[in-house]
Amino acid sequence: MIPFLPPNPASPSVRPVLLAPMAGFTDAAMRRVSHAFGAALTYTEMVNATGLLRASDKTWHLLETLPGEGPVVAHLYGSEPEAMAAAAAAVWRTGRFVAIDINAGCPVRKIIANGCGSALMPRPGLIGRIVAAMRAASPLPVTVKTRVGLAPDRVLIHEIVSAVEEAGGAALALHARFASQMHSGAVALDLLAAVKQRARIPIIGNGGIRSAADAVRMVRETGVDAVMVGRAAMGNPWLFGAIADALAAPEDAPPPPRPRPDVAEIRAVLSDHLTAARQLQIQIRANHRLPSRALDPEAAVAITFRCHLFRYLSGLAGAAQFRGHLCDYTNTVEILSAVDACLEREAQARATRTSTHIP
Ligand SMILES: Cc1cc2nc3c(=O)[nH]c(=O)nc-3n(C[C@H](O)[C@H](O)[C@H](O)COP(=O)(O)O)c2cc1C
């Protein structure tokens, strides 16, 4: 068990399911919805440690939290032990987080150009020094999220795990792809299994979980201590419960059936998420000095929530029409009325399917 990680809310005997850090997505609103549906632990968006030290409002607003979020990990990037340590102390002083995670896997050019993210991977000694410095600066557990290597001919994960263990890291989340793959392609479950077998710290498995069956497969083939879901949780918080149910089912039983959420439930969850997103924007403006060109909360939500809307409604009967107008909505009232029109079409489509169904 991961010391700072509460058990799976569905059942203490089931491995916990975590929400992965995703820049631009995993703000306090998405984290709160995910937690309500069973995510045992969630991560902030990626936060620049140096930006925190410069006391930049543009950086600090990423660490805003909302009531009811459950345990949250602050996810930082940086490459200098002293700066990461000072940032860890500042994060700890907020009292909002249960752990601090180091981004040692992001392959995006802007991040690696500064020696951060996956640029840390060939330097396990430096990763260890960062972990040790952060541990010395704050009592919070320090974890690392990384990948299996830079490319198939550069597997680096075993050296990284050893360095994190020696430095006293509390856990390691492993996106079982290579940095060269960015976010797609095969997930190296064999390497994940090898890492888990050797590791002395808890290993959190991540990458390619799109369904409950994928999570079960990852756990059975690798034995990881927890699973972490990224993209598949966007617009689908129900997935956390589905995974918990499937992990709790006996090995030889088929996964328990999970009916699609009904239209009223999709509406209620989407609306809760939207309300939280609006609340967050208001809170950010109350607590931080944003540039004068920053949008008002309604306009900001209309933009930042588009990607979530797209996911919640994807595959529903009215979604194509809704998508065509996604950029037209400028406030939450317009968004909800368009959502209602879309869900109405979906309800009609479902009613037609039911009435024409011949058993
Ligand atoms: C939009 C987006 C933003 C991401 N941002 C981060 C990030 O800030 N830090 C990080 O470690 N990983 C980040 N990731 C990677 C995810 O945490 C996760 O490792 C990856 O998506 C694989 O998991 P999945 O297949 O379940 O999506 C991001 C992924 C996406 C799609």
Side-chain angles (χ1 to χ4, degrees), residues 20-25 44-47 75 101 103-106 145-147 175 177 183 187 206-210 228-232 234:
M22 288 183 286
F25 284 86
T44 66
E45 301 177 69
M46 182 164 65
V47 178
H75 176 63
D101 185 60
N103 181 323
C106 178
K145 179 167 180 285
T146 189
R147 294 189 176 224
H175 178 183
R177 289 190 175 99
H183 292 301
V187 175
N206 167 243
I209 296 179
R210 292 200 205 138
M228 175 188 267
V229 183
R231 286 159 293 181
M234 295 172 178

Side-chain angles (χ1 to χ4, degrees), residues 29 32 48 86 90 93 109 133 141 143 159 162 166 169 187 189 208 221 260 262 265 284 291 324 339 342:
R32 183 159 89 179
N48 180 349
R93 281 194 296 270
R109 194 185 298 266
T143 61
E159 294 86 336
S162 300
E166 272 161 40
V187 175
L189 289 184
E221 291 189 15
R260 278 182 88 178
D262 67 29
E265 187 177 348
I284 287 172
V339 164
C342 171

